[in-house]
Amino acid sequence: MKKSILILLCSTVLLIVQSCKEGDKDDNTTATSSASTTGSTFESGITYNSKGKLTLMFNPTFGAQAFELSPKSYVTAAADTIRITQLTYYVSNVTLTTSAGNKINLGNYELISQIPGQQAKVLLDSIPAGCYTSISYMIGVDSLANSTGVHTGALDPSYGMYWAWSTGYVFLRLKGRFTSQNTAYSFDIGGDGNVMNVNHDLSNYKTGGTALTANINVDVAKFFNTPNKYDLKTDAIDIHSAGVPSIAKLKVNIANAFNITAIQ
Amino acid sequence: MKRVNVFCLLCFAVFFFVQSCKKDDEVIQNGTTTVVPTDTTKPFAPTPYLVQIPVGLPLDYPIPSPLDNPLTVEGVELGRKLFHDKILSKNNVQSCGSCHSQLFGFTDEAKQFSFGASNQKGERNSMPLFNLAYVEKFAKTDHRFFWDGGAKNLESQVLGPITNPLEMEETLTNVIDKLQKHPQYPALFKKAFGSDSITTAMLMKAIAQFERIIVSGETRFDYFKLFGDQSKLTAQEKRGLELFNTEEKADCFHCHSLSGAFMTDFLFHHNGHQSSDPGLGRITNNPEDKGKFRTPSLRNLVFTAPYMHDGRLAKLEDVVEFYNSGAIRTYPADPFITKHPNGLGLTSDEKADLVAFLKTMTDSTLITNTNY
């Protein structure tokens, strides 16, 4: 058992290193650790010549406006005036894909609380050397981790992002007030079928280094708008179980709301 | 009998050995869930816990347990203490045992609904706790515990009552904090899990271990069924059994199957009640699942009155009359209920026979066993 895992691991690493060599026409050894943005020395995607780091910075906004908690109010596309008291979510299974299509799952489970003025970041350590043309992750957790709750770290159920009456994690919580009627809205999105998969194409970035940072914009306005208009006057304002029909709109919008703005 | 028990013990020992081997692999694959001993001078080696399997339960394997939470003497001991400790509730007023009392087959005395830490009224009848490990093993979907199948396993179920605002009303951070500051618990957690830095995961595991050792299957009906011991049932009880198993009569056996050891098909059905509780539908949001509940075991009914998810039926006579004449016979009731459009048409003698039979599935060791 141990052996076969080791062999599998070895062969994956081998494959990744190989595919990079194939894809890279330039001599990468000249473009070492500087987080260069000149691009000319790198192939499409992000390149690590040796084991490297990637920090994902999650920066929320509401459209072009800065993200603030209540009492700041925003107007959604459906002309609902909302205030936000909490935006918290799980980011898990961050996976990098090489130009040759090999996937490497970095296995993280992170709980992100968006609080203005506080950095919300996921640090990915020990990324194997290679050139990567896309990065994907789940907003939520995979069904295996979602099945027991017997976990420590970010998955400790004591963080309150957990349903004990219907086993599983709350993947994303957005709540606040919907001021036109001063009613509470509260979205707890969970349930294996509702994982929100985010995928970022990196092929337009031609950069590399040993420690890179990807700035990811989380546009809360899009939660209510892109592509599905979400109207608090007619759609659900209380979502606390997996099968609420309005989740179908929200989960697509939410996955769309995560976009990379820069990689340095 | 003796021989069977020795055999069982042997099974356990072998199983445990296999389990602990597997656990090593777990360490490699999933570092986050494995507890690493902190005291390196004494290696962390808890003692396997052996359960004596009652005659009526399957003998071909030991108590089913997840690989990352094998039964240990230290874990069960800790779980028992936690189960009976009010420290898990707001203001330390209520334990799990407050609503799951051994004398009542681990239900809440004779109450229809339970009351929480601030005396607030609950919404469902407390459930008996025995043979729960087998629910995990035989369930046909992820829907296992609670009347509506909302909890996937015993570990995660533990968090339900603690945090439920109608029950123990406590936060997990408070519970862990109270346990960590307690004079005894840190040492007990260390004995059970190798670390005195208490986590939610350890709390869940310990209570789940204790729940898994509660087994029941020493009944007159088991001896009758397994060994054909005719003296174990009276003529009336045998007539009741016959009715239970006859399609044109009581027709109970489709859902409460007597072929296995648990008197349930481990499925969810709408048995013709008129309650508005959505049951499984609350979990799946599928309109087809509305009003479905897990078919309960029929063991130990004598201890667990009142009956049904809403505890609306006080006596077994009421249950039988419900199936005989009270149940609704149209959708959404289950096809096994609607197939009797005019009710079951049982005579009063037949109803008495059926009740007499139900009482043969009573295991008094459940309420006297001092291991619980």
Side-chain angles (χ1 to χ4, degrees):
Chain A
M1 190 62 182
K2 266 186 227 176
K3 240 185 218 159
S4 56
I5 289 180
L6 206 73
I7 291 173
L8 253 173
L9 215 76
C10 284
S11 52
T12 322
V13 170
L14 208 75
L15 265 172
I16 290 167
V17 172
Q18 273 189 343
S19 63
C20 247
K21 288 226 172 95
E22 274 163 30
D24 287 354
K25 282 163 205 110
D26 292 357
D27 183 0
N28 273 339
T29 49
T30 58
T32 44
S33 60
S34 67
S36 149
T37 46
T38 54
S40 57
T41 49
F42 291 105
E43 280 299 295
S44 207
I46 61 171
T47 301
Y48 294 92
N49 288 324
S50 54
K51 206 191 237 186
K53 291 182 177 152
L54 177 63
T55 305
L56 307 179
M57 297 285 293
F58 292 91
N59 308 313
T61 61
F62 195 96
Q65 303 175 66
F67 177 83
E68 286 176 46
L69 293 178
S70 180
K72 166 81 180 166
S73 64
Y74 301 102
V75 180
T76 70
D80 292 319
T81 304
I82 64 161
R83 286 180 277 150
I84 298 167
T85 53
Q86 188 182 354
L87 173 59
T88 309
Y89 49 88
Y90 277 103
V91 170
S92 75
N93 291 281
V94 180
T95 302
L96 288 164
T97 306
T98 67
S99 47
N102 296 309
K103 289 183 187 302
I104 161 154
N105 186 331
L106 299 164
N108 298 61
Y109 293 94
E110 311 281 348
L111 185 57
I112 305 279
S113 279
Q114 303 272 211
I115 297 163
Q118 288 186 19
Q119 285 192 336
K121 61 183 177 187
V122 171
L123 177 62
L124 306 167
D125 249 328
S126 7
I127 297 174
C131 40
Y132 300 98
T133 50
S134 74
I135 181 169
S136 64
Y137 45 88
M138 294 177 178
I139 303 298
V141 304
D142 52 280
S143 57
L144 191 66
N146 208 27
S147 67
T148 72
V150 189
H151 299 289
T152 50
L155 290 176
D156 188 322
S158 68
Y159 287 109
M161 293 288 283
Y162 194 78
W163 283 332
W165 60 275
S166 175
T167 307
Y169 290 88
V170 174
F171 298 160
L172 178 138
R173 173 173 297 149
L174 175 73
K175 63 185 209 174
R177 291 210 163 249
F178 154 32
T179 44
S180 28
Q181 293 170 16
N182 208 31
T183 336
Y185 69 89
S186 171
F187 301 153
D188 273 4
I189 299 182
D192 287 337
N194 292 329
V195 166
M196 291 152 279
N197 292 300
V198 178
N199 187 52
H200 301 298
D201 180 9
L202 302 177
S203 53
N204 287 334
Y205 295 92
K206 295 186 170 61
T207 187
T210 49
L212 300 176
T213 298
N215 286 321
I216 300 173
N217 172 236
V218 184
D219 184 353
V220 183
K222 289 189 172 151
F223 286 22
F224 295 91
N225 190 23
T226 313
N228 306 306
K229 189 174 280 188
Y230 200 91
D231 187 337
L232 291 170
K233 298 178 289 297
T234 49
D235 288 306
I237 56 171
D238 251 313
I239 297 180
H240 290 282
S241 68
V244 178
S246 298
I247 293 177
K249 284 187 183 180
L250 276 178
K251 66 183 186 192
V252 177
N253 290 359
I254 291 169
N256 269 316
F258 287 74
N259 290 290
I260 295 191
T261 51
I263 299 182
Q264 309 99 33
Chain B
M1 224 358 231
K2 261 252 167 73
R3 203 184 299 165
V4 170
N5 284 339
V6 171
F7 174 70
C8 262
L9 282 179
L10 214 75
C11 283
F12 268 107
V14 169
F15 178 71
F16 208 89
F17 180 71
V18 171
Q19 266 197 338
S20 40
C21 285
K22 287 233 178 83
K23 239 190 120 189
D24 282 341
D25 278 357
E26 282 263 306
V27 176
I28 301 161
Q29 292 168 25
N30 196 351
T32 54
T33 56
T34 312
V35 184
V36 180
T38 46
D39 182 358
T40 43
T41 53
K42 267 188 253 147
F44 170 62
T47 325
Y49 187 98
L50 306 179
V51 181
Q52 187 167 318
I53 308 274
V55 63
L57 300 190
L59 288 169
D60 38 357
Y61 45 77
I63 302 289
S65 285
L67 289 177
D68 66 355
N69 194 19
L71 297 181
T72 66
V73 170
E74 295 80 0
V76 168
E77 191 55 47
L78 172 61
R80 177 189 300 105
K81 186 171 163 66
L82 289 164
F83 185 91
H84 294 291
D85 197 330
K86 295 177 177 170
I87 197 169
L88 301 186
S89 65
K90 182 173 152 190
N91 301 327
N92 306 330
V93 293
Q94 183 170 56
S95 71
C96 306
S98 306
C99 298
H100 298 284
S101 156
Q102 182 173 9
L103 280 179
F104 296 83
F106 293 96
T107 62
D108 194 357
E109 304 180 357
K111 289 181 207 147
Q112 179 175 12
F113 298 111
S114 301
F115 293 85
S118 315
N119 217 28
Q120 66 282 41
K121 190 172 163 201
E123 292 168 334
R124 290 188 185 145
N125 186 230
S126 176
M127 299 178 82
L129 309 181
F130 55 80
N131 299 345
L132 295 179
Y134 299 91
V135 175
E136 269 170 340
K137 180 164 178 78
F138 293 112
K140 295 176 175 99
T141 65
D142 258 2
H143 304 297
R144 299 200 175 94
F145 299 105
F146 292 131
W147 284 105
D148 59 19
K152 291 178 186 166
N153 36 59
L154 283 174
E155 278 78 2
S156 60
Q157 191 282 333
V158 167
L159 304 182
I162 296 177
T163 57
N164 188 331
L166 296 181
E167 297 181 348
M168 302 167 98
E169 258 192 298
E170 186 54 292
T171 65
L172 294 174
T173 21
N174 276 352
V175 168
I176 300 299
D177 196 48
K178 286 192 278 183
L179 292 172
Q180 195 69 65
K181 290 186 178 134
H182 190 274
Q184 290 155 9
Y185 277 115
L188 294 174
F189 273 93
K190 181 161 186 173
K191 273 168 80 182
F193 299 110
S195 166
D196 54 12
S197 172
I198 301 171
T199 64
T200 320
M202 294 179 194
L203 169 70
M204 296 160 82
K205 285 183 172 183
I207 295 182
Q209 281 191 41
F210 169 64
E211 290 176 310
R212 288 194 178 96
I213 70 151
I214 308 177
V215 290
S216 175
E218 289 284 339
T219 75
R220 287 196 286 125
F221 175 65
D222 290 297
Y223 283 94
F224 172 84
K225 185 182 126 183
L226 295 171
F227 308 116
D229 186 344
Q230 296 297 318
S231 70
K232 292 291 180 182
L233 298 195
T234 66
Q236 183 189 32
E237 289 160 352
K238 286 177 197 162
R239 288 198 303 274
L241 167 60
E242 190 61 30
L243 292 163
F244 189 99
N245 274 335
T246 304
E247 296 235 34
E248 307 75 46
K249 290 292 184 180
D251 203 14
C252 315
F253 66 100
H254 298 287
C255 304
H256 300 283
S257 163
L258 299 182
S259 60
F262 305 100
M263 293 83 183
T264 167
D265 54 4
F266 295 98
L267 288 173
F268 292 76
H269 298 279
H270 191 304
N271 73 346
H273 62 78
Q274 296 186 47
S275 138
S276 58
D277 188 324
L280 179 63
R282 180 172 86 131
I283 305 304
T284 64
N285 264 80
N286 179 351
E288 289 293 316
D289 291 336
K290 221 172 153 216
K292 288 186 183 173
F293 296 93
R294 193 182 83 216
T295 310
S297 158
L298 297 182
R299 291 185 180 276
N300 303 307
L301 292 169
V302 166
F303 307 128
T304 64
Y307 306 102
M308 305 296 170
H309 72 277
D310 50 6
R312 70 185 182 283
L313 303 176
K315 295 185 304 215
L316 286 175
E317 286 75 8
D318 302 332
V319 170
V320 168
E321 195 52 59
F322 162 75
Y323 283 111
N324 185 49
S325 65
I328 56 160
R329 304 287 166 183
T330 51
Y331 182 84
D334 192 272
F336 288 126
I337 301 291
T338 58
K339 73 189 252 213
H340 304 281
N342 305 315
L344 302 177
L346 301 177
T347 66
S348 49
D349 281 351
E350 287 173 330
K351 286 185 261 183
D353 294 349
L354 194 53
V355 170
F357 164 64
L358 293 175
K359 292 182 179 168
T360 67
M361 295 181 275
T362 305
D363 173 2
S364 56
T365 68
L366 177 66
I367 62 167
T368 55
N369 190 327
T370 50
N371 291 334
Y372 307 150

